[in-house]
Amino acid sequence: MNIMQPFTTQIDLHSGVFNPERQIIRRYLSDMQTTYADESAVQDILKQEGNRLVYEVHVTDLPEEEGQLLHCTTIIYPGRVGTEYHMTKGHYHSRRDRGEVYLGLAGEGYLVMQTETGETSTLSIQPGTAAYVPPYWAHRTVNTGVVPFVFFAAWAGEAGHDYGTIEQLGFAKLVVQHDGQVVVIDNAKYK
Ligand code: S6P
Ligand code: ZN
C-alpha cells in the first residue's frame, strides 16, 4: 500500500463548502428525470422553469480502495417536485456489507433507508445529529426544510455505489408535503 500524506479540509459548517475545494458533483433535475414519483411534475418544471440545481456533493479526491475513508459534504437545496421534497438519487453500496456515517451540519431533513429484504427506516437529521447507515441499507437524503440541508458523510473506500438498483426499483417510502406537513408515505410505484 502507498503511504499517503495526512491532510485536513476546512469545512464551512453552515454552507458545507470545502477549503481547499477539490471536486464538486452537481445534480440537476435533468439528471433525475426518473427519480421523483411524479414524472410529469419533473417535465412541467423543465418546460416551464427550465433546469434546476437540486444538490451538490463536495468530495475529497481519495482513491476508492480498501483502507481509505472517503468523506464529503452534501448540500440539498430546498424545493419540491410535485409534493415530493428535493432529495438525492440514493443508492446501495456496491459492496452491500459496507456502512456509512452521516453528521447533520445545517438545515434539516430525513435519511430514508431500506433493505433488499423489505425493511424500511426514516430518520430525522438536524444539525448535530449523527446517523448510522448500517451495512445492507440503501440510503437517500431529503431536504424537508426551507434552507439548504447540509451534512457530512464518511464511508469505506471500497464500498462503491450501486445507483442502478434504485433507478429500477425506487424507494418504498416517499417524503412529501401534505397540508403543509412533512409526511412519509408508501410509494405506490415501488416494485
Ligand atoms: C456516499 C454517501 C453520500 C452521497 C451523497 C449524494 O456513499 O452516501 O456522500 O453520495 O449524499 O447522494 P447520491 O445518492 O447521489 O450518491
Ligand atoms: Zn452511501
Side-chain angles (χ1 to χ4, degrees), residues 36-37 79-87 109-113 121-123 140-145 171-178 181-187:
Y36 292 92
R80 273 180 286 126
V81 175
T83 59
E84 208 171 0
Y85 290 98
H86 276 183
M87 60 191 183
Y110 281 92
L111 173 57
V112 179
M113 293 174 280
S121 169
T122 308
L123 300 177
R140 156 180 288 165
T141 39
V142 185
N143 184 348
T144 53
F171 268 80
K173 300 286 180 185
L174 306 179
V175 184
V176 301
Q177 188 180 77
H178 185 71
Q181 302 292 315
V182 180
V183 184
V184 180
I185 61 168
D186 289 333
N187 179 7

Side-chain angles (χ1 to χ4, degrees), residues 17 24 70 113 116 171 183:
V17 166
I24 303 176
L70 306 186
M113 293 174 280
E116 289 174 302
F171 268 80
V183 184

